[in-house]
């Protein structure tokens, strides 16, 4: 089939590679977010999907909005049979959805109808889910509500960050998306409407949402820290300045007042509402990331000091 692939970040690359490598399909163009400022110099940088398309000589479309008339004209001219989507990051109006013969098929990183929305993997980790997965579905106007073609499941491991989990799902999901498109072409696959029960939503996590609250139980602090790693990154305040924090590890042998810091020879502990947690890597303002023990030696933490 003639495909126009829509996606933007690195998590979309396994799927795009799968279609590029497939002898059954022809990726005639990709749709991605416009080049964005990056780094200290704020130079414009291609999205990962655009960069991979460039390597393979595939046309790159970067509409500011997916309903722009010029973009729609070009999409019609390309005559795609189907548009696979992975983390594109732009709303698709109905006039855009109507162009490809078989519609737009999205790879979403949850077992729908659970965790519709922008941050399903983060929500699964934060919620303490044992199992999550990925689903392929036909895009409709309502958010992540279209009929489902297929599902793969994935166990959430005890120390998974959202980055760890998403990396695995991007690979298994790529094969699911490819097999879904194959099945649509063959006429052997039919989408099934999502059940009305079990719908949950996973809103985008903001920087403010990623602030750790050490008055919460250790399990809650741990899950949030892992859920927001690597993006947007956990943080708290120490001595009035923001301190970025990597994942923490709950410990069973120490209890401290909430937020109080205890420096030991091989670990730095912070109290919660239950038992303490051990800090992993930390990054003070203007500094590089370092092990918590190195940071603690450098700032010379006094007895009774707190992170909040």
């Amino acid at each position: 089939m003639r495909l126009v692939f829509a996606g933007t970040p690195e998590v979309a690359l396994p799927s795009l590679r799968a279609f590029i490598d497939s002898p059954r399909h022809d990726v005639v163009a990709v749709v991605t977010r416009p080049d964005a400022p990056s780094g200290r110099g704020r130079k414009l940088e291609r999205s990962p999907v655009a960069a991979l398309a460039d390597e393979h000589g595939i046309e790159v479309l970067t509409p500011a909005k997916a309903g722009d008339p010029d973009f729609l004209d070009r999409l019609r001219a390309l005559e795609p049979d189907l548009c696979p989507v992975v983390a594109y990051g732009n709303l698709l109006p109905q006039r855009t959805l109507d162009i490809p013969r078989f519609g737009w098929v999205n790879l979403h990183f949850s077992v729908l109808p659970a965790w519709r929305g922008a941050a399903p993997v983060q929500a699964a980790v934060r919620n303490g889910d044992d199992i999550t997965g990925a689903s392929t579905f036909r895009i409709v106007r309502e958010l992540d509500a279209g009929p489902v073609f297929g599902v793969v499941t994935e166990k959430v491991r005890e120390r998974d960050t959202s980055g760890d989990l998403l990396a695995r799902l991007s690979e298994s999901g790529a094969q699911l998306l490819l097999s879904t498109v194959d099945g649509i072409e063959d006429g052997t696959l039919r989408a099934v409407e999502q059940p009305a029960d079990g719908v949950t939503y996973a809103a985008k996590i903001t920087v403010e949402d990623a602030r750790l609250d050490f008055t919460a139980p250790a399990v809650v602090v741990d899950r949030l820290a892992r859920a927001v790693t690597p993006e947007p990154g956990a943080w708290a305040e120490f001595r009035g300045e923001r301190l970025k924090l990597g994942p923490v590890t709950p410990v069973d042998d120490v209890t401290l007042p909430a937020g109080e810091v205890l420096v030991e020879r091989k670990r730095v502990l912070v109290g919660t509402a239950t038992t303490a947690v051990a800090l992993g890597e930390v990054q003070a303002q203007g500094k590089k990331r370092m092990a918590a023990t190195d940071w603690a030696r450098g700032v010379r933490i006094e007895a009774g000091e707190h992170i909040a």
Side-chain angles (χ1 to χ4, degrees), residues 125 157-162 164 210-214 216-229 233-236 243-252 261 267-272 274-283 289 292 295 307:
V125 174
R157 299 170 186 171
E158 183 179 4
R159 301 308 305 157
D160 266 341
T161 66
S162 62
D164 298 330
R211 182 172 187 168
L212 300 186
D213 177 9
F214 291 101
V219 65
V220 174
V221 176
D222 168 45
R223 287 176 180 173
L224 177 57
R226 289 186 289 110
V228 299
T229 299
W235 64 280
L243 184 68
K244 295 181 180 179
L245 300 170
V248 301
T249 304
V251 300
D252 296 327
V261 184
R267 60 185 184 177
V268 178
L269 305 178
V270 181
T272 74
T274 53
T275 56
V277 295
L279 300 184
E281 287 190 329
V282 304
Q283 183 177 10
R289 295 184 71 86
W295 164 77
I307 292 178

Side-chain angles (χ1 to χ4, degrees), residues 69 87 182:
D182 288 348

Side-chain angles (χ1 to χ4, degrees), residues 2-13:
R2 290 175 61 83
L3 305 179
V4 172
F5 181 91
T8 297
E10 288 189 13
V11 71
L13 297 185

Side-chain angles (χ1 to χ4, degrees), residues 13-295:
L13 297 185
S15 292
L16 178 54
R17 290 192 185 101
F19 287 118
I20 291 172
D21 293 341
S22 172
R24 296 185 56 169
H25 307 295
D26 181 16
V27 182
V28 296
V30 302
V31 186
T32 189
R33 297 296 295 271
D35 297 357
S38 179
R40 291 182 179 272
R42 308 303 291 165
K43 293 182 179 180
L44 289 179
E45 187 172 291
R46 299 285 261 175
S47 76
V49 162
L52 181 58
D54 290 342
E55 291 177 15
H56 290 270
I58 298 171
E59 181 178 353
V60 177
L61 307 176
T62 57
K65 295 183 179 180
D68 289 350
D70 289 345
F71 167 67
L72 294 182
D73 288 343
R74 182 57 188 150
L75 188 60
R76 292 188 189 98
L78 288 166
E79 298 182 335
D81 295 306
L82 185 147
C83 295
V85 185
V86 184
Y88 171 39
N90 213 337
L91 293 176
L92 299 168
Q94 190 62 49
R95 59 186 178 278
T96 307
L97 296 176
D98 291 340
I99 292 176
R101 182 160 57 108
F102 292 105
W104 296 66
V105 176
N106 190 56
L107 173 65
H108 182 78
F109 295 109
S110 78
V111 178
L112 291 169
W115 302 130
R116 296 176 182 176
V121 175
Q122 291 92 329
V125 174
R126 185 174 186 176
N127 194 60
D129 293 356
D130 293 322
I131 300 291
T132 186
S135 307
T136 51
F137 69 94
R138 181 181 293 115
I139 296 179
V140 297
R141 292 186 65 182
E142 185 180 351
L143 179 67
D144 299 335
V148 173
F149 289 101
V151 171
V152 293
T153 59
E154 176 73 32
K155 180 176 175 58
V156 184
R157 299 170 186 171
E158 183 179 4
R159 301 308 305 157
D160 266 341
T161 66
S162 62
D164 298 330
L165 183 54
L166 189 55
R168 299 200 303 275
L169 288 172
S170 70
E171 296 291 343
S172 59
Q175 295 308 307
L176 172 65
L177 184 57
L178 177 61
S179 64
T180 295
V181 174
D182 288 348
I184 292 171
E185 182 182 37
D186 294 339
T188 58
L189 194 59
R190 295 290 182 270
V192 177
E193 296 294 335
Q194 295 183 37
D197 295 333
V199 176
T200 52
Y201 290 93
K204 181 179 180 180
I205 295 178
T206 67
V207 171
E208 191 58 37
D209 294 332
R211 182 172 187 168
L212 300 186
D213 177 9
F214 291 101
T215 66
V219 65
V220 174
V221 176
D222 168 45
R223 287 176 180 173
L224 177 57
R226 289 186 289 110
V228 299
T229 299
E231 295 293 338
W235 64 280
E237 286 190 355
F238 178 72
R239 295 178 183 172
E241 293 187 348
R242 183 171 295 194
L243 184 68
K244 295 181 180 179
L245 300 170
V248 301
T249 304
V251 300
D252 296 327
D253 57 339
V254 177
T255 301
L256 295 168
E260 184 172 311
V261 184
L262 174 65
V263 180
E264 298 182 341
R265 189 168 66 88
K266 293 186 177 181
R267 60 185 184 177
V268 178
L269 305 178
V270 181
T272 74
T274 53
T275 56
V277 295
L279 300 184
E281 287 190 329
V282 304
Q283 183 177 10
Q285 287 186 337
K287 304 292 185 180
K288 295 181 180 180
R289 295 184 71 86
M290 63 183 71
T293 49
D294 295 334
W295 164 77

